[in-house]
Every structure is written in C-alpha cells, then in structure tokens.
Amino acid sequence: MPTESQTFILRNFTDAEIAYCRAQPTFQVSFAARWISKEAVFKSLGVSSKGAGAAMKEIEILPNEVTLHGEAKAAAAAKGISKIHLSLSHSDVSFSSCCWTT
C-alpha cells in the first residue's frame, strides 16, 4: 500500500484519519488496517467495488467510531443498517480486521 504517496492518502482517508494515523508509531500499518477495514465495510454493505474509483473517504474509521458518508451512508440506510461494528488488530508487521452491522 503506497502510504508514502500523498495523493493516495488524500484520496482514500479523511483529514481526521490522516491525523490519527500519522500520530501512530507505525503509521503505515495504521493506514493499512483502515484500508482493509474500509473494504470490509463496503462488502458488508453489499456495495460493489469501484476499484481505484471506490470512495474510501465515505467510510471514516477512527478509534471506537465508524462514520459513513455519501453513497456508503445511503447504502446502509437502504439496508436498515444503523451501526457498523469494527474490530482492528495490528502490530508493526501485521494487521487484521473484522466488520459486522446492526
């Protein structure tokens, strides 16, 4: 994942996510964990992937909080999903993510 690319970061993460990740000791892993988590959220909503055009910024993942915007928010509302539960786990070399909705 090109975490050194400012264009990639700005295209895929909100300002709050960027600030949080950059403050972490292993910011690359924090970005990567959020990236795969955003993919998990899209899949849990049943939203088709748009590849490089996916609006990853529509899913904001901060500690203890997942906020949806735009099409992601509309997709959740259409499916009656009111809350996204997300579990992130990562070290300086690996990460995992789990997502479920209610």
Side-chain angles (χ1 to χ4, degrees):
M1 193 171 107
T3 58
E4 301 300 327
S5 167
Q6 191 66 7
T7 301
F8 176 82
I9 296 298
L10 291 174
R11 183 181 298 140
N12 293 286
F13 298 95
T14 66
D15 292 341
E17 289 172 315
I18 294 168
Y20 175 80
C21 290
R22 291 275 186 220
Q24 302 310 303
T26 53
F27 72 91
Q28 299 93 338
V29 177
S30 291
F31 278 121
R34 274 158 184 73
W35 173 262
I36 65 166
S37 298
K38 289 174 184 240
E39 285 287 338
V41 172
F42 269 120
K43 288 178 182 175
S44 74
L45 295 175
V47 176
S48 298
S49 175
K50 298 177 185 176
M56 294 297 196
K57 286 177 95 169
E58 291 185 354
I59 300 169
E60 183 176 57
I61 301 170
L62 296 170
N64 303 312
E65 180 182 7
V66 176
T67 304
L68 303 178
H69 307 279
E71 289 182 36
K73 184 175 183 176
K79 295 179 183 306
I81 296 169
S82 60
K83 185 144 180 90
I84 303 287
H85 301 275
L86 189 60
S87 174
L88 298 176
S89 174
H90 57 83
S91 68
D92 60 344
V93 294
S94 66
F95 46 85
S96 65
S97 172
C98 179
C99 175
W100 62 100
T101 58
T102 57

